[in-house]
């Protein structure tokens, strides 16, 4: 496994699902037209997450710069 990654074999993922919010707070599975549930056929198990220290540092720097420019003008 690549350093900084973690495999979560039982984690639920909706990466193949197409959802839409039709009413405030009501998420619909576009494939079935029914409210989305964890039992939808597009829901899969297994995910890999990763951490990249360099990317995190760059993102923090960008956020600080953005907020500084936004509130100090």
């Amino acid at each position: 496994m690549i350093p900084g990654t973690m495999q979560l074999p039982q984690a639920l993922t909706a990466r193949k699902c197409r959802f839409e919010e039709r009413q405030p707070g009501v998420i619909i599975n576009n494939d079935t037209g029914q409210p989305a549930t964890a039992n939808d056929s597009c829901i899969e198990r297994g995910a890999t997450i990763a951490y990249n220290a360099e990317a995190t540092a760059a993102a923090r720097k960008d956020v600080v710069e953005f907020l500084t420019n936004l509130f100090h003008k």
Side-chain angles (χ1 to χ4, degrees):
M1 185 168 21
I2 298 170
T5 64
M6 178 184 293
Q7 292 182 332
L8 305 170
Q10 294 303 312
L12 295 178
T13 177
R15 64 182 162 241
K16 292 187 178 179
C17 297
R18 296 180 319 123
F19 295 136
E20 177 182 345
E21 184 176 13
R22 293 202 184 147
Q23 297 175 13
V26 178
I27 306 300
I28 302 296
N29 180 328
N30 283 347
D31 293 334
T32 66
Q34 299 297 313
T37 73
N39 295 320
D40 286 349
S41 62
C42 60
I43 301 290
E44 298 178 337
R45 290 203 179 264
T48 301
I49 58 174
Y51 174 75
N52 181 309
E54 185 177 312
T56 299
R60 284 186 177 142
K61 179 181 175 283
D62 290 346
V63 169
V64 169
E65 181 180 331
F66 172 77
L67 293 174
T68 299
N69 289 332
L70 181 66
F71 293 112
H72 284 79
K73 285 189 173 185

